Amino acid sequence: MGRPLKIKKTTTKDIGFNNLGSLTAPVYPAPLNTAQFLGVVGGANVSGGSSVATSAYPVVRVQVYLSTGGPGSAEAAGFIITQKGSKQYLVADTTSVADESMVVGRSYIINTVGTTNWIACGASKTNPDAGDIFTCTAVGSGTGTAFEVGVCTLANEATASLTVGNMNIAMFNGDSTDILISRLTNRYALDYSTPAVRYAVNFFTDEGTEILSGTTGTTIPLAIVENYTS
């Protein structure tokens, strides 16, 4: 259906796609403007200094349920770190966990460095920073915080009804009703209909249609993927 989801690394690297104004004779839906683009990207929404989401170049927002037991272990808003398969993603939830409340054996991404000795907690970098991922080997005793990290699978489960190990990604088409995504790539998404409906995804408009790549006039609806901005 398309290439795996692109992951925004920083506010300047893999930030999105070429904006419409940079293309030669582009044809695009009227609600979009030349500063915007079609397609979506994942990436960290870390509040401690490594957030890559901006208003011009957002990142996908997800809902995740990583594990049970311990702080931060419940359904929560999250972000995509990387894609692991057609329906699986390495994700983090955005429930801040104090370093002394981490659970040994679980994986985390540093949110705020604070005074925590992250190397003693399991981080491998010489100078750990916000956005670094590690497996906890010991709890901390400083002021730093982290988010729990794990692999989740896309499921047809609504927010507030997710089960452990699952996640959802929502999109919108023409109104405020969530449409859950069964598969997401850089440019397209499928819903859970039978047969599935394909959408051209972006962060800016759900009005109009787009010509399906590789065709001479077949159109598909636009949809906005739920996202984080600055």
Side-chain angles (χ1 to χ4, degrees):
M1 189 184 73
R3 295 181 178 180
L5 187 68
K6 187 176 184 178
I7 304 299
K8 186 177 179 182
K9 301 296 191 299
T10 69
T11 55
T12 59
K13 184 177 180 181
D14 293 331
I15 58 178
F17 298 91
N18 292 331
N19 65 45
L20 297 168
S22 69
L23 304 179
T24 301
V27 177
Y28 54 90
L32 289 172
N33 64 52
T34 55
Q36 297 170 338
F37 56 90
L38 289 166
V40 295
V41 300
N45 186 50
V46 181
S47 64
S50 293
S51 176
V52 298
T54 66
S55 58
Y57 292 95
V59 298
V60 173
R61 179 190 185 280
V62 301
Q63 194 76 7
V64 301
Y65 197 161
L66 289 175
S67 59
T68 56
S73 301
E75 181 179 333
F79 57 85
I80 295 172
I81 298 170
T82 189
Q83 186 166 3
K84 306 290 286 185
S86 62
K87 292 181 177 291
Q88 284 193 323
Y89 296 85
L90 180 68
V91 296
D93 84 15
T94 55
T95 303
S96 183
V97 179
D99 63 352
E100 67 269 19
S101 298
M102 295 187 300
V103 177
V104 172
R106 292 189 182 172
S107 296
Y108 295 89
I109 184 170
I110 297 173
N111 176 35
T112 56
V113 175
T115 60
T116 300
N117 182 344
W118 291 106
I119 294 176
C121 295
S124 58
K125 278 180 59 177
T126 302
N127 296 300
D129 200 358
D132 291 346
I133 299 172
F134 65 97
T135 298
C136 180
T137 56
V139 298
S141 58
T143 60
T145 62
F147 297 140
E148 188 173 343
V149 169
V151 175
C152 279
T153 302
L154 279 175
N156 190 14
E157 297 176 351
T159 298
S161 299
L162 282 174
T163 53
V164 177
N166 287 338
M167 61 183 282
N168 70 41
I169 308 175
M171 60 182 171
F172 309 91
N173 171 247
D175 58 32
S176 58
T177 302
D178 287 8
I179 303 170
L180 295 183
I181 292 172
S182 68
R183 188 177 172 191
L184 179 67
T185 68
N186 280 348
R187 305 273 188 172
Y188 302 106
L190 297 179
D191 65 13
Y192 283 96
S193 300
T194 305
V197 177
R198 179 182 294 202
Y199 295 82
V201 292
N202 71 105
F203 291 130
F204 310 107
T205 183
D206 58 3
E207 300 294 334
T209 59
E210 176 66 9
I211 296 175
L212 181 61
S213 178
T215 73
T216 58
T218 301
T219 59
I220 57 176
L222 286 172
I224 297 175
V225 175
E226 194 163 9
N227 57 82
Y228 294 109
T229 62
S230 55

